[in-house]
Amino acid sequence: MTALATIELATTRLEQFYRQMFLIRAFEERVLELFSEGQLFGTTHAYIGQEANAVGVLSHLGPEDIVFSNHRCHGHYLAYSDDVEGLLAEIMGREIGMCGGKGGSQHIFAGNFYTNGVLGGIVPCATGIALAEKYKASRAKVAVFIGDGSLGEGTIYETFNLAALWSIPILFVIENNFYAQSTPQRLQLSGQIAARPQAFDIETVHCRPDSVEEVYAVAGDAWATIEEQGKPFCLVLDTYRFCPHSKGDDYRDVAEIEAWRSRDPLRRLANQIDIDTRLRIEEQAHLRIAQAVSTAQAAAFAGARAISW
Amino acid sequence: MTALATIELATTRLEQFYRQMFLIRAFEERVLELFSEGQLFGTTHAYIGQEANAVGVLSHLGPEDIVFSNHRCHGHYLAYSDDVEGLLAEIMGREIGMCGGKGGSQHIFAGNFYTNGVLGGIVPCATGIALAEKYKASRAKVAVFIGDGSLGEGTIYETFNLAALWSIPILFVIENNFYAQSTPQRLQLSGQIAARPQAFDIETVHCRPDSVEEVYAVAGDAWATIEEQGKPFCLVLDTYRFCPHSKGDDYRDVAEIEAWRSRDPLRRLANQIDIDTRLRIEEQAHLRIAQAVSTAQAAAFAGARAISW
Amino acid sequence: MIQRTEQRTERCVHVLNRALHQLFEDCPDTYLLGEDIIDPYGGAFKVSHGLSTRWPDRVLTTPISEAAIVGIANGMALRGMRPIVEIMFGDFITLCADQIINYAAKFRQMYNDQTRCPVVIRTPMGGRRGYGPTHSQTMERLFLSVSDLTILAPSHLHELGEALIHVTRHGAGPTLFVENKVMYGEFHAPPQAGRAGLFSCRHLGEAPLDTLYLSLTDFEYSDATILCYGGMAGIAMQAAEQLLLEHEISCELLIPCCIKPLPHDGFAEALERSGRLVVVEEGPLTGGWGAEVAAQVQERYWPQLRGPVTRVAAKDGIIPCARPLEDMVLPQKEDLMLAVIRAVSGAKVGQL
Amino acid sequence: MIQRTEQRTERCVHVLNRALHQLFEDCPDTYLLGEDIIDPYGGAFKVSHGLSTRWPDRVLTTPISEAAIVGIANGMALRGMRPIVEIMFGDFITLCADQIINYAAKFRQMYNDQTRCPVVIRTPMGGRRGYGPTHSQTMERLFLSVSDLTILAPSHLHELGEALIHVTRHGAGPTLFVENKVMYGEFHAPPQAGRAGLFSCRHLGEAPLDTLYLSLTDFEYSDATILCYGGMAGIAMQAAEQLLLEHEISCELLIPCCIKPLPHDGFAEALERSGRLVVVEEGPLTGGWGAEVAAQVQERYWPQLRGPVTRVAAKDGIIPCARPLEDMVLPQKEDLMLAVIRAVSGAKVGQL
Ligand SMILES: Cc1ncc(C[n+]2csc(CCOP(=O)(O)OP(=O)(O)O)c2C)c(N)n1
Ligand SMILES: Cc1ncc(C[n+]2csc(CCOP(=O)(O)OP(=O)(O)O)c2C)c(N)n1
Ligand SMILES: [Mg+2]
Ligand SMILES: [Mg+2]
């Protein structure tokens, strides 16, 4: 490949990253607005600030690859599937949601993408999926996203042990945003995060990426290692959410939030992209989201017809 | 203290150790016999080979101190309480057992000694006990015994995290006998045992003691550290059971068993004790056990009278 | 609709919060453990608000470790403390099932009555908030068969704060204290001078765990007895009012605070009068509270019964997120009214 | 005592073992996960004996991690495999309650019927072996209210091997497969040519999950219907024989293989004839299987009933270690006989 071609590819990739990250950001902001407007019912956990993780890790995946996510799943789902319409309709409780309005914000499924709102238990399930794919020799990649707070759940360590023992090829992505709901890490986590998977002989990389490219690079290495060694791998990504835990109150230090905001990978990436392209991307995202909202609003509420399951 | 006094004290202590260890060994052998004779019902897990752990760790404790044990609890209980009679009657299902025949071999309680036959869950319970004693400022020592196989249970890691976070003074004793029932360690444990508590910032010492004095010494250091620092401590003791897991089959390599038998801390200790003393100790133990058996046999079966709870 | 007369001064969440403050003041052995329970957040439903500011050492905010938290509280209870655990959503009680069933509820009996484990596990249950399949369940049914475990599930009519204080201070064994999520926001409306809204009210059994016995006809006439608890109390009262006004069907209500063991207070009198029992609960039909109630009632009050005990409950299955779907799954006032009408008219399902 | 005629060739544990071998041979997607299940040990109760020698890659002996094992099997099932998990003792199923209730049994419905999680969880239940409070329980009752979960609990009369094969190959959702511990050692005694010992036998519903309908009087006369499952089947048969011989009370037996959802096969006919139902189970009385059965039966067969449905079960509380205590707690033949005599004579508890 010529140097120029490489640069072009890189540019295209950065644009692609920006398209995805911006879409997630705009989507989540719109969802929070819809909540304030009283158009949504229940709860939601926005991914604002963490977009680089989903995009950087999942850009290595195709539709045959598998993702298991948690309560904060919108970003992962969009990075994986680009299905703005299905997700928004689902959150808005519409029949045309990808789970017919039954799952809502935290229980979504489509293709090879799974979530569950009960913390911890997704980890053995995802690992079982990876084991099945190993037996099938499908070569499908499997990633599971875990919050730092979820590391309180014992099932995760049971699974670390098993994944290492049985050489199950899976990527554990720990998104370390330093909070579990209202609880700062020092009140809920002893020792170092990376030491935990390592104690079970799981190769672990802990980093504080400044950009999506950096996430993309470490994730690329992680996927390559998994592919090569047929073993589990753990990636700990320091990150931060700029929004409250769910819809509600946020008691974090404003200076802390601002410090992290000044490192916002989305803003950083924006500066790397030429202004016309950027505006086009942003416009398109807003348009898609607006259309998805209209479509969902026009669609029947789930339950307008009789339920069947 | 004069040098002579020190030696005498040491001698007395060794004799005391021998008395306790021999008692446990003889007790367990007698229990297994009673099983073969069909005098017992249910199941039992003998402590044969591991006596040095219970005696070395618990000789630092008084009756106000607290122990939580597991399915393989007879040795811990005898080292702690010397209550041959209560335990034997309990195992034999007699009303005069310390739990009136309700608990049986794996669910015993007396004073400050607790057990439960469901693996893992004893660890948070014991840690809660230690927390209560911390709040009460009772200075009671608290020990919990964990088998290497039980490290499969996730609750243990949840508890490691909490014990470290909250500086709960408790001694986690991991008796690493390299097997979980029929399963050798390589099939059930990834990484290094000591790395696990360490990953939660729990100070951990892993050793392979050859003698009860060695256990006594490392345990002494552990108790001192706990006392001094007011934090949890983990002691990993390599050990081996010479008997089958419960009553039944044993498929372990005979050479392996023999290799460990040749390091039997009880035999080693026997050689350090003058022959008359030794014989006297052994005779006394056999006598006590025989009497306990007779007493239990003569006692009413639990349930001869109506139950009440 | 009918004007209600009860005082609307305080929401139930605040009553519970006050009770915790009271407990912490009066009983130095009380501790609270749970996720996100310290100030300024004060718990996902704010029940523990203000507590950690006053007693920072006795309010232990925890990692997300439901099993270990309950285990630790069990240990504290074994040593004479009076720990309370808050499980953030009742749905997660599956994670501490082992600690409740094989530990807390077994210690006393298997240790031959030589010890006690009086741990209190408080947790919000129930739907109608759109939280979806894993945050809306009514899970107390899973523990109905656990010996030695007491289950309290007060309604907005009960002295729920007193109940919490009582069981924490005097409970002899483990207690599951169920707080209905919708109830949190409801006004506390304990009966005043024998009245609860339009109903005459009697208190049966010992306060503060008493069963409330409600009648719209001064206990003179009753076509059917409705048995309910917790979040269904308000719905059942509305159903009873509407049944009387629109259908001339008179129902008495029995609303226990303690759902396990099942107190039979009032059963004999109520069934003597009505001969019909409709049990309503927010949890799913199959294997629910109503099953045990029906089994006991038909066995003990057979001669009084004019028809089978009928059950109104959530449809078996997940609780969906979308509001209309959730409404279809959870038991509504109309479902209860229909069941009562059927019971009274002796009609079979499908005939009405 | 009466001479039995059934063939005494094979113990139930061996039937189950053969079924697993068959499954592994026929169905390459079948895996077994559990503690201590590989050869030479072959499982704590030897049900998996020989399996790992033939299929070393498909028999996964695990660490002591009940929750993660079920979770991993759930994941495998989501991807089209047919995993079976062995939980060494049913008592430990509390540890995987979350994976069963909030994962396996929820996936299909909360994902809007777009996926399936056909995991099979096999586990021994029951006492009478002196294993004490944490190794003798009958825990299936805890899961009776879990939608989408099927619970099978065959007796030694059922084609239990076929049932295991069927549900593993064709189950559409999660299944809890309960193996009574005492049954393991009993001889497999499927009815032959319409006879099961002294009983005439009909097969109701679809094999191999059929309900067995037994009569000592060729379905001509019945004073009471006994409903039971699993390890209580043999005891119920003995009780029925003795009731007829010594008390001239004729009982019919209904013995389902599937206890949830509850099949009503035979209920109408049996109750039409007897008008009385006695449900017997090894688990504790309160909140047990019998509660749901009683609730359903009194509701649906009210006109046929001559008296209340009565329940015979273990006494609420722990299962003690000491044999005589255990015997007092668990339901015995005599308890069942007494209950039937009372039901037939219409006597109240305590009057006999
Ligand atoms: C088993 C369980 N316990 C508690 C909760 C409630 N809860 C939802 S999100 C959350 C915090 C999770 O923190 P973390 O894992 O760090 O993820 P983050 O929200 O930071 O992305 C909690 C406690 C839950 N959903 N499941
Ligand atoms: C939760 C639970 N799972 C399984 C068992 C069955 N079991 C009893 S002892 C044992 C092996 C324990 O191994 P380890 O912890 O190493 O202790 P050891 O027997 O070697 O002393 C097993 C699997 C149990 N009692 N509890
Ligand atoms: Mg976090
Ligand atoms: Mg071991």
Side-chain angles (χ1 to χ4, degrees):
Chain A
M1 217 188 283
T2 66
L4 191 68
T6 315
I7 290 166
E8 266 173 20
L9 184 71
T11 313
T12 319
R13 176 168 293 151
L14 284 191
E15 286 175 19
Q16 170 66 2
F17 286 161
Y18 190 69
R19 203 188 62 74
Q20 292 184 281
M21 286 172 62
F22 187 85
L23 184 73
I24 295 170
R25 174 78 53 101
F27 181 95
E28 294 290 58
E29 284 171 347
R30 188 72 187 99
V31 166
L32 290 177
E33 271 171 31
L34 287 167
F35 253 106
S36 331
E37 295 165 12
Q39 295 209 44
L40 296 185
F41 186 54
T43 192
T44 190
H45 306 89
Y47 197 61
I48 297 169
Q50 306 187 192
E51 300 89 347
N53 307 334
V55 172
V57 170
L58 300 179
S59 290
H60 295 279
L61 267 52
E64 69 289 357
D65 297 318
I66 304 165
V67 177
F68 219 125
S69 172
N70 51 45
H71 61 293
R72 200 175 300 285
C73 57
H74 303 174
H76 307 139
Y77 183 66
L78 292 178
Y80 177 79
S81 72
D82 201 44
D83 176 23
V84 173
E85 298 71 23
L87 179 57
L88 199 62
E90 184 63 30
I91 297 173
M92 293 179 71
R94 296 317 203 270
E95 222 176 53
I96 57 169
M98 94 286 266
C99 288
K102 286 177 186 158
S105 167
Q106 356 184 24
H107 316 95
I108 63 183
F109 168 78
N112 292 310
F113 189 96
Y114 306 79
T115 67
N116 193 321
V118 182
L119 302 176
I122 62 168
V123 181
C125 288
T127 304
I129 285 177
L131 182 60
E133 298 305 315
K134 176 181 169 172
Y135 278 121
K136 294 192 221 167
S138 76
R139 308 179 67 88
K141 298 188 181 76
V142 183
V144 57
F145 286 88
I146 311 170
D148 54 320
S150 302
L151 293 173
E153 293 292 351
T155 329
I156 294 180
Y157 306 95
E158 298 188 0
T159 308
F160 281 166
N161 187 37
L162 277 154
L165 265 180
W166 294 353
S167 297
I168 302 179
I170 180 169
L171 181 62
F172 299 112
V173 185
I174 298 177
E175 290 187 86
N176 178 31
N177 66 7
F178 301 94
Y179 284 86
Q181 200 145 333
S182 75
T183 307
Q185 196 159 91
R186 75 189 148 74
L187 293 182
Q188 55 104 341
L189 195 131
S190 66
Q192 299 302 313
I193 291 180
R196 298 187 178 187
Q198 280 163 352
F200 297 85
D201 251 4
I202 293 178
E203 193 172 333
T204 302
V205 167
H206 187 155
C207 61
R208 180 169 295 201
D210 275 312
S211 67
V212 62
E213 301 107 284
E214 218 176 311
V215 178
Y216 185 76
V218 288
D221 291 346
W223 287 120
T225 310
I226 292 171
E227 170 90 26
E228 202 179 290
Q229 306 189 348
K231 292 198 304 192
F233 193 100
C234 182
L235 199 56
V236 185
L237 302 171
D238 286 356
T239 183
Y240 202 78
R241 64 171 155 74
F242 302 153
C243 52
H245 168 71
S246 51
K247 306 156 295 176
D249 27 6
D250 191 347
Y251 298 99
R252 292 174 304 172
D253 181 37
V254 177
E256 180 184 285
I257 302 179
E258 276 320 305
W260 279 94
R261 258 194 197 279
S262 71
R263 308 179 40 185
D264 182 0
L266 181 65
R267 200 137 34 116
R268 181 197 184 95
L269 182 55
N271 293 332
Q272 292 171 264
I273 293 183
D274 108 308
I275 180 80
D276 292 340
T277 315
R278 215 185 102 186
L279 292 177
R280 205 188 58 240
I281 288 174
E282 295 179 3
E283 200 183 358
Q284 275 177 357
H286 286 303
L287 196 70
R288 272 191 73 190
I289 292 166
Q291 278 173 348
V293 172
S294 310
T295 310
Q297 281 170 334
F301 265 109
R305 293 184 267 178
I307 15 167
S308 70
W309 43 52
Chain B
M1 213 187 284
T2 65
L4 191 67
T6 313
I7 290 166
E8 263 171 24
L9 184 70
T11 313
T12 319
R13 179 169 291 152
L14 284 190
E15 285 175 18
Q16 171 66 0
F17 287 161
Y18 190 70
R19 202 189 62 72
Q20 293 185 279
M21 286 172 65
F22 187 85
L23 184 72
I24 295 170
R25 175 77 54 99
F27 181 94
E28 293 290 59
E29 283 171 348
R30 188 72 188 98
V31 166
L32 290 177
E33 271 173 30
L34 287 167
F35 252 106
S36 331
E37 295 166 12
Q39 296 208 45
L40 297 185
F41 186 54
T43 193
T44 190
H45 306 89
Y47 197 62
I48 297 168
Q50 305 186 193
E51 300 88 347
N53 307 334
V55 172
V57 170
L58 299 180
S59 290
H60 295 279
L61 268 51
E64 69 289 358
D65 297 318
I66 304 164
V67 178
F68 219 124
S69 173
N70 50 47
H71 62 292
R72 200 176 300 287
C73 57
H74 303 175
H76 306 140
Y77 182 65
L78 292 177
Y80 177 79
S81 71
D82 202 45
D83 176 21
V84 173
E85 298 71 22
L87 179 58
L88 200 62
E90 183 62 30
I91 298 173
M92 293 179 73
R94 298 313 206 270
E95 223 175 52
I96 57 169
M98 93 287 267
C99 288
K102 285 177 187 158
S105 167
Q106 348 185 32
H107 316 95
I108 63 185
F109 168 79
N112 292 310
F113 189 96
Y114 305 79
T115 66
N116 192 321
V118 182
L119 302 176
I122 63 168
V123 181
C125 289
T127 304
I129 286 177
L131 182 61
E133 298 305 315
K134 175 181 169 173
Y135 277 120
K136 294 191 222 166
S138 75
R139 305 180 70 89
K141 297 189 182 75
V142 182
V144 56
F145 286 88
I146 311 170
D148 55 321
S150 302
L151 293 174
E153 293 293 352
T155 328
I156 295 180
Y157 305 95
E158 298 188 359
T159 308
F160 282 166
N161 187 40
L162 276 154
L165 266 180
W166 294 353
S167 296
I168 302 180
I170 181 169
L171 181 61
F172 300 112
V173 185
I174 298 177
E175 290 188 87
N176 178 30
N177 67 5
F178 300 94
Y179 285 86
Q181 201 146 332
S182 75
T183 307
Q185 197 160 91
R186 74 189 148 75
L187 294 181
Q188 55 103 341
L189 196 133
S190 66
Q192 300 301 314
I193 290 180
R196 297 187 177 188
Q198 280 163 350
F200 297 85
D201 251 3
I202 293 177
E203 193 171 333
T204 302
V205 167
H206 186 153
C207 62
R208 180 168 297 200
D210 276 311
S211 66
V212 63
E213 301 108 283
E214 217 176 312
V215 178
Y216 184 77
V218 288
D221 291 346
W223 287 121
T225 309
I226 292 170
E227 170 89 28
E228 202 179 288
Q229 307 190 348
K231 292 198 304 192
F233 193 99
C234 182
L235 197 55
V236 186
L237 301 171
D238 286 356
T239 184
Y240 203 78
R241 66 170 153 75
F242 302 153
C243 53
H245 168 71
S246 53
K247 308 155 296 177
D249 27 6
D250 191 349
Y251 298 100
R252 292 173 304 171
D253 182 36
V254 177
E256 180 184 286
I257 301 179
E258 276 320 306
W260 278 95
R261 258 195 197 281
S262 72
R263 308 179 40 186
D264 182 359
L266 180 65
R267 198 132 42 110
R268 181 197 184 96
L269 182 56
N271 293 332
Q272 292 173 262
I273 293 183
D274 109 303
I275 182 81
D276 292 340
T277 315
R278 214 184 104 186
L279 290 177
R280 204 189 57 241
I281 288 174
E282 295 179 3
E283 201 184 356
Q284 276 177 354
H286 286 302
L287 197 68
R288 274 191 73 192
I289 293 165
Q291 277 172 348
V293 171
S294 311
T295 310
Q297 280 169 336
F301 266 108
R305 293 183 266 179
I307 17 169
S308 69
W309 44 51
Chain C
M1 267 300 313
I2 301 156
Q3 273 303 319
R4 302 179 163 283
T5 55
E6 67 265 31
Q7 280 183 289
R8 303 208 148 189
T9 48
E10 198 180 16
R11 293 188 197 274
C12 289
V13 62
H14 191 233
V15 175
L16 290 169
N17 177 257
R18 263 200 304 114
L20 287 174
H21 278 268
Q22 182 83 51
L23 259 171
F24 270 67
E25 221 164 83
D26 296 346
C27 175
D29 292 334
T30 304
Y31 291 78
L32 183 69
L33 296 82
E35 296 158 18
D36 298 288
I37 58 173
I38 59 172
D39 294 331
Y41 193 72
F45 292 90
K46 313 297 170 203
V47 181
S48 60
H49 189 79
L51 225 50
S52 68
T53 303
R54 293 177 68 190
W55 295 280
D57 293 345
R58 287 161 58 199
V59 182
L60 306 174
T61 202
T62 69
I64 308 170
S65 310
E66 288 79 4
I69 302 167
V70 174
I72 286 177
N74 283 345
M76 295 173 78
L78 283 174
R79 304 301 296 182
M81 305 237 150
R82 292 285 174 172
I84 304 174
V85 178
E86 172 173 310
I87 299 294
M88 189 188 284
F89 282 81
D91 308 68
F92 313 149
I93 203 156
T94 45
L95 287 160
C96 29
D98 189 54
Q99 281 297 335
I100 298 174
I101 297 172
N102 284 329
Y103 284 84
K106 280 212 174 37
F107 282 124
R108 184 182 69 80
Q109 294 184 22
M110 83 180 180
Y111 289 165
N112 204 22
D113 213 14
Q114 298 175 98
T115 186
R116 293 277 180 281
C117 187
V119 64
V120 175
I121 298 165
R122 291 181 35 240
T123 189
M125 296 278 188
R128 308 188 201 275
R129 309 258 311 227
Y131 290 157
T134 64
H135 289 63
S136 307
Q137 298 171 87
T138 295
M139 305 288 260
E140 54 268 28
R141 64 185 207 273
L142 298 173
F143 297 91
L144 292 173
S145 63
V146 179
S147 173
D148 242 22
L149 177 72
T150 298
I151 308 182
L152 301 188
S155 74
H156 67 297
L157 300 174
H158 288 97
E159 289 297 354
L160 62 168
E162 299 301 317
L164 179 58
I165 291 172
H166 177 85
V167 81
T168 306
R169 299 198 62 167
H170 307 297
T175 300
L176 180 61
F177 191 90
V178 177
E179 304 170 0
N180 184 273
K181 278 188 212 100
V182 170
M183 185 189 73
Y184 280 143
E186 283 179 333
F187 286 104
H188 186 216
Q192 307 265 341
R195 310 284 311 166
L198 298 174
F199 294 80
S200 320
C201 177
R202 292 197 202 141
H203 297 262
L204 310 176
E206 247 176 273
L209 309 187
D210 43 340
T211 292
L212 300 174
Y213 188 14
L214 269 58
S215 167
L216 286 165
T217 59
D218 251 328
F219 303 99
E220 284 192 358
Y221 186 79
S222 168
D223 294 302
T225 306
I226 296 174
L227 180 66
C228 65
Y229 72 86
M232 293 306 301
I235 294 173
M237 287 168 79
Q238 288 173 28
E241 291 173 6
Q242 207 170 329
L243 281 164
L244 187 62
L245 285 178
E246 298 175 10
H247 301 270
E248 293 180 13
I249 293 176
S250 166
C251 295
E252 291 180 353
L253 271 61
L254 281 166
I255 313 174
C257 171
C258 174
I259 63 166
K260 175 189 179 294
L262 181 67
H264 280 242
D265 303 289
F267 283 22
E269 176 179 343
L271 293 174
E272 188 64 54
R273 194 141 50 230
S274 71
R276 295 183 192 92
L277 183 66
V278 178
V279 198
V280 55
E281 68 192 301
E282 195 185 316
L285 182 76
T286 304
W289 183 65
E292 180 60 30
V293 169
Q296 286 190 23
V297 166
Q298 58 95 37
E299 194 160 356
R300 296 213 212 161
Y301 307 99
W302 182 261
Q304 284 75 46
L305 289 180
R306 291 190 230 169
V309 178
T310 51
R311 297 181 285 168
V312 176
K315 291 184 183 55
D316 289 341
I318 58 141
I319 300 175
C321 249
R323 183 100 199 220
L325 283 179
E326 189 184 27
D327 284 346
M328 288 169 69
V329 167
L330 296 182
Q332 308 296 339
K333 183 184 65 179
E334 292 71 24
D335 300 316
L336 176 53
M337 287 175 59
L338 196 59
V340 170
I341 294 171
R342 278 177 181 149
V344 170
S345 66
K348 288 271 160 43
V349 177
Q351 288 183 351
L352 250 156
Chain D
M1 267 299 313
I2 300 156
Q3 273 302 318
R4 302 179 164 281
T5 57
E6 68 264 30
Q7 279 183 291
R8 302 207 147 187
T9 48
E10 197 181 17
R11 292 187 197 274
C12 289
V13 62
H14 191 231
V15 176
L16 290 169
N17 178 256
R18 264 200 303 113
L20 287 174
H21 278 268
Q22 182 83 50
L23 259 172
F24 270 67
E25 223 163 83
D26 296 346
C27 175
D29 292 334
T30 304
Y31 291 78
L32 184 69
L33 295 83
E35 295 158 18
D36 299 288
I37 58 173
I38 60 171
D39 294 330
Y41 192 72
F45 293 90
K46 311 299 170 202
V47 182
S48 60
H49 189 78
L51 224 51
S52 68
T53 303
R54 293 177 68 191
W55 296 280
D57 293 345
R58 287 162 57 199
V59 182
L60 306 174
T61 203
T62 69
I64 307 170
S65 310
E66 288 79 6
I69 301 167
V70 173
I72 286 177
N74 282 346
M76 295 173 78
L78 284 174
R79 303 302 295 182
M81 305 236 150
R82 292 286 175 170
I84 304 174
V85 177
E86 172 173 309
I87 298 294
M88 190 188 283
F89 283 80
D91 308 68
F92 313 149
I93 203 155
T94 45
L95 288 160
C96 27
D98 188 55
Q99 281 297 334
I100 297 174
I101 296 171
N102 283 329
Y103 285 84
K106 280 213 174 37
F107 282 124
R108 185 182 68 79
Q109 293 183 24
M110 83 180 180
Y111 290 166
N112 203 23
D113 213 12
Q114 297 175 101
T115 186
R116 293 276 181 281
C117 187
V119 64
V120 175
I121 299 165
R122 292 182 34 242
T123 189
M125 297 277 188
R128 309 189 200 276
R129 308 257 311 227
Y131 289 157
T134 63
H135 289 64
S136 308
Q137 300 170 85
T138 296
M139 304 288 260
E140 53 268 29
R141 64 186 205 273
L142 299 173
F143 297 91
L144 292 174
S145 63
V146 179
S147 172
D148 243 25
L149 177 72
T150 298
I151 308 182
L152 302 188
S155 75
H156 67 297
L157 300 174
H158 288 96
E159 289 297 354
L160 63 167
E162 299 301 319
L164 179 57
I165 291 172
H166 177 84
V167 81
T168 307
R169 299 198 61 168
H170 307 296
T175 300
L176 180 60
F177 192 89
V178 177
E179 303 171 0
N180 183 272
K181 278 188 212 99
V182 170
M183 186 190 71
Y184 280 144
E186 283 180 332
F187 286 104
H188 186 215
Q192 306 265 341
R195 309 283 312 164
L198 298 173
F199 295 80
S200 320
C201 177
R202 291 196 204 144
H203 297 263
L204 310 176
E206 248 176 273
L209 308 186
D210 44 339
T211 292
L212 299 175
Y213 188 14
L214 268 58
S215 167
L216 285 165
T217 59
D218 251 328
F219 302 100
E220 283 192 358
Y221 186 78
S222 167
D223 294 303
T225 306
I226 296 174
L227 180 66
C228 65
Y229 71 87
M232 293 306 299
I235 294 173
M237 287 168 79
Q238 288 172 29
E241 290 173 6
Q242 207 170 328
L243 281 164
L244 186 62
L245 285 178
E246 298 176 11
H247 300 271
E248 294 182 12
I249 292 175
S250 168
C251 295
E252 290 179 352
L253 271 62
L254 280 166
I255 314 174
C257 171
C258 175
I259 63 167
K260 172 185 182 296
L262 182 66
H264 280 242
D265 303 289
F267 282 22
E269 176 179 342
L271 293 173
E272 186 63 53
R273 195 141 50 228
S274 71
R276 295 182 190 93
L277 183 66
V278 178
V279 198
V280 55
E281 68 192 300
E282 196 185 314
L285 183 75
T286 304
W289 184 65
E292 179 61 29
V293 168
Q296 286 190 23
V297 165
Q298 58 95 37
E299 193 160 356
R300 294 212 212 161
Y301 307 98
W302 182 261
Q304 283 77 45
L305 290 181
R306 292 191 230 169
V309 177
T310 51
R311 296 181 286 167
V312 175
K315 295 185 179 54
D316 289 340
I318 58 139
I319 300 175
C321 248
R323 185 100 198 222
L325 284 179
E326 189 184 28
D327 283 347
M328 289 169 67
V329 167
L330 296 183
Q332 308 296 340
K333 183 184 65 179
E334 292 71 23
D335 300 317
L336 176 54
M337 287 175 58
L338 197 60
V340 170
I341 293 169
R342 278 179 183 148
V344 170
S345 66
K348 287 272 159 47
V349 178
Q351 289 182 351
L352 249 154

